[in-house]
């Protein structure tokens, strides 16, 4: 199976090449030429481990890896770094299935993909005989950065540079990143928001002159953002796994449809659910949950994507995004792969800051539902669910929970449902403290201990003693200074 650009440039790549390159030369994203199916009924997977299901899912996309290579990457990624043996446990709360994706090293769901991407990338480099040093360039709204740093730390022939918005991440997220000790890791705050960071990074990928200079110095760029197909594919596996386990536990009968609710930012996670559905997981509705930055809610409800609006910094910062990159891939699929249409829409977004889908594409969005929750509703949901069930959610998961409650109240849809839980509540401790009305003062590290005292929910190992770790990265730059900073780091 080959990979093409969503924007149509004839650049047909193997999966290994697409992983190395990250983004297509015409600024489009790599997509599989056709979406594969599982090679057996999901029912047959229900007794398998996470690692086995990951293999059966990923091999359908990553056909250029041998069985041995892929299994080796999976074994190395999904090992005891994860604090739960099942890797992604499913908790039943008020009749909903919460798929906990945050038991990896950095306590957010980004670990699901970023603990395997470095293995896929190094194997790809070897197979393609690529001798250059790779520079991973990453923009983060908080969680990708740390997960990528952990994944690539100390990996030979790879440098990683992470850019994060300097007042757009939580204190815990920032401390996690700036204390990363390895010499091949670089962390830079930029004065701007996530969209600024992401756009500047995309510009660097497409700067031909700079690319040439990099090549002369033996370097090439790659991406750890969810625009890299090597990040998206591993995420498909946990939806296949979740469905297989729901069959096993008797929650659903084989072939019974489910709803999937995803707290959404860059549209990677929910796109993975869509890919899982194309592979054979029966999905009724994809419920896309946003915070006050509800560009996607409006888009799903009207077919108009319009970023001319205020940007809000919220208590679910990993979803504070107006330009959701992976939506481009969905558009490609629902346009019946009409790349000239996608190119035009994306150019409109750049020049006019908005676009409207043609009617046939709007019709093809019918399995998607959009909803949003504001900050107060988010905190109230955390409090109510905790008070009534003892289950503690982080703010992002709570956004999804609230959007699902609203959907269910409106539609009376009783379809069995999975909510993707994307972070440990400790990653956004001060919000959890606020939500539960715990009377406590102090910095986020003190509040973390307080939250633990009150709720007895276990603190993820990676978040313990964070404040005692040495700060290694202190650079803050203007948002248009990214190129200079990269030069300073590399040359
Ligand atoms: C990244 C992230 C999201 C958004 O996921 P996308 O794949 O970008 O849509 C939601 N919640 C948390 C905690 C995240 O880290």
């Amino acid at each position: 199976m080959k990979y093409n650009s969503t924007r149509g440039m004839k650049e047909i790549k193997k999966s290994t090449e697409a992983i190395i390159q990250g983004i297509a030369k015409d600024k489009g994203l790599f997509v599989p030429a056709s979406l594969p199916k599982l090679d057996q009924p999901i029912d047959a997977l229900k007794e398998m481990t996470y690692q086995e299901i990951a293999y059966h899912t990923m091999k359908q996309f990553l056909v250029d890896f041998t069985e041995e290579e892929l299994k080796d990457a999976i074994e190395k990624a999904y090992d005891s770094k994860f604090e739960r043996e099942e890797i992604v446990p499913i908790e039943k709360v008020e009749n909903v299935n919460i798929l906990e994706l945050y038991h990896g090293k950095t306590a957010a769901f980004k670990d699901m993909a970023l603990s395997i991407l470095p293995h896929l990338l190094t194997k790809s480099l070897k197979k393609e005989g690529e001798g250059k040093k790779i520079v991973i360039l990453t923009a983060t709204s908080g969680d990708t950065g740390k997960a990528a740093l952990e994944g690539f730390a100390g990996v030979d022939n790879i440098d990683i540079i992470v850019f994060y918005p300097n007042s757009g991440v939580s204190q815990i997220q920032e401390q996690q990143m700036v204390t990363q000790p390895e010499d091949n890791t670089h962390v830079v705050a930029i004065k701007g928001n996530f969209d600024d960071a992401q756009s500047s990074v995309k510009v660097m990928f497409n700067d031909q002159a700079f690319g040439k200079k990099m090549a002369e110095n033996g370097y090439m760029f790659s991406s750890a953002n969810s625009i890299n197909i090597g990040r998206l594919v591993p995420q498909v596996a946990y939806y296949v796994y979740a469905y297989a386990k729901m069959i096993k536990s008797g929650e659903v009968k084989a072939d019974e449809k489910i709803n999937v609710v995803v707290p959404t930012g860059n549209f990677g996670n929910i796109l993975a659910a869509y890919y899982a559905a194309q592979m054979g997981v029966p999905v009724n509705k994809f419920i896309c949950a946003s915070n006050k930055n509800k560009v996607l809610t409006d888009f799903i409800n009207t077919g108009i994507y319009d970023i001319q609006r205020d940007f809000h910094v919220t208590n679910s910062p990993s979803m504070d995004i107006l330009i959701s990159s992976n939506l481009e891939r969905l558009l490609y699929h629902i346009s019946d792969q009409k790349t000239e249409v996608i190119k035009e829409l994306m150019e409109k977004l750049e020049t006019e800051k908005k676009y409207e889908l043609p009617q046939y594409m709007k019709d093809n969005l019918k399995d998607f539902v959009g909803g949003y929750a504001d900050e107060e509703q988010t905190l109230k949901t955390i409090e109510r669910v905790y008070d009534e069930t003892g289950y503690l959610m982080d703010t992002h998961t709570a956004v999804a929970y609230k959007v699902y409650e609203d959907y269910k109240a409106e539609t009376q849809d009783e379809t069995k449902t999975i909510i993707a839980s994307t972070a440990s509540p400790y990653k956004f401790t001060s919000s959890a403290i606020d939500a539960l009305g715990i009377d406590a003062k102090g910095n986020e590290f003190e509040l973390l201990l307080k939250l633990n005292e009150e709720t007895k929910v276990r603190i993820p190992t990676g978040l313990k003693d964070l404040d005692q770790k040495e700060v290694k990265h202190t650079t803050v730059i203007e948002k248009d200074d990214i190129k200079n900073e990269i030069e300073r780091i590399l040359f």
Side-chain angles (χ1 to χ4, degrees), residues 108-110 141 143-144 226 235 263-270 318-319 321 394 396 422-423 428:
F109 95 100
K110 302 296 193 290
S141 58
D143 293 327
T144 291
S226 54
Q235 292 182 204
T264 297
N266 223 4
F267 213 77
N269 200 357
I270 195 165
S318 303
M319 296 156 69
I321 292 176
D394 90 292
H396 303 75
T422 50
F428 305 94

Side-chain angles (χ1 to χ4, degrees), residues 139-394:
T140 183
S141 58
D143 293 327
T144 291
K146 178 61 181 180
L149 288 164
E150 278 294 342
F152 286 103
V155 177
D156 284 345
N157 288 318
I158 295 185
D159 271 278
I160 168 161
I161 311 178
V162 170
F163 295 98
Y164 71 93
N166 80 335
S167 51
V169 302
S170 81
Q171 195 178 9
I172 298 216
Q173 289 176 315
E174 181 169 43
Q175 185 76 1
Q176 278 187 301
M177 290 189 278
V178 298
T179 55
Q180 190 76 42
E182 292 80 2
D183 288 341
N184 71 329
T185 65
H186 312 276
V187 180
V188 180
I190 76 162
K191 296 182 190 164
N193 60 38
F194 172 73
D195 288 314
D196 296 325
Q198 175 158 268
S199 317
S200 312
V201 163
K202 274 197 184 164
V203 168
M204 293 311 305
F205 277 112
N206 294 298
D207 185 328
Q208 311 258 331
F210 195 75
K212 213 168 147 215
K213 185 166 175 190
M214 292 269 295
E216 284 161 13
N217 286 275
Y219 285 113
M220 72 183 278
F221 282 134
S222 188
S223 168
N225 279 101
S226 54
I227 53 175
N228 193 317
I229 195 75
R231 238 190 88 175
L232 203 54
V233 167
Q235 292 182 204
V236 180
Y238 49 74
Y239 290 108
V240 176
Y241 174 85
Y243 191 80
K245 295 300 153 178
M246 284 166 75
I247 298 178
K248 184 177 176 193
S249 71
E251 175 73 4
V252 293
K253 292 194 272 302
D255 297 333
E256 180 177 342
K257 284 191 174 184
I258 57 166
N259 293 328
V260 179
V261 192
V262 185
T264 297
N266 223 4
F267 213 77
N269 200 357
I270 195 165
L271 185 73
Y274 177 80
Y275 280 12
Q278 305 305 309
M279 290 192 93
V281 175
V283 175
N284 176 42
K285 294 289 180 196
F286 303 92
I287 303 177
C288 174
S290 301
N291 64 26
K292 206 172 162 191
N293 296 295
K294 60 179 186 64
V295 83
L296 286 167
T297 311
D298 296 341
F299 171 71
I300 290 168
N301 292 329
T302 64
I304 299 172
Y305 198 93
D306 186 353
I307 59 170
Q308 302 165 99
R309 59 179 76 212
D310 289 339
F311 178 88
H312 304 282
V313 174
T314 73
N315 57 14
S316 47
S318 303
M319 296 156 69
D320 290 345
I321 292 176
L322 293 181
I323 304 173
S324 294
S325 296
N326 276 297
L327 183 62
E328 180 169 344
R329 286 190 167 109
L330 180 69
L331 298 182
Y332 170 85
H333 298 298
I334 65 166
S335 73
D336 296 324
Q337 324 199 345
K338 290 204 180 62
T339 52
E340 69 285 4
V341 174
I342 305 308
K343 186 163 185 284
E344 195 184 305
L345 293 175
M346 292 302 120
E347 280 169 5
K348 267 205 179 131
L349 184 63
E350 238 168 74
T351 52
E352 294 165 32
K353 309 292 172 209
K354 85 184 246 197
Y355 61 79
E356 177 163 7
L357 295 184
Q359 189 58 44
Y360 78 97
M361 285 176 74
K362 286 184 189 171
D363 296 343
N364 288 345
L365 265 183
K366 66 179 186 325
D367 294 339
F368 283 78
V369 173
Y372 77 103
D374 67 21
E375 292 189 281
E376 201 184 313
Q377 290 170 326
T378 304
L379 296 183
K380 283 228 165 79
T381 302
I382 294 174
E383 182 188 28
R384 186 193 66 72
V385 173
Y386 181 74
D387 284 351
E388 290 177 17
T389 70
Y391 188 77
L392 184 63
M393 287 180 286
D394 90 292

Side-chain angles (χ1 to χ4, degrees), residues 100-117:
E100 294 185 346
L101 301 173
Y102 59 78
H103 293 290
K105 239 179 157 175
T106 75
F109 95 100
K110 302 296 193 290
D111 290 321
M112 295 308 301
L114 283 162
S115 50
I116 192 165
L117 180 65

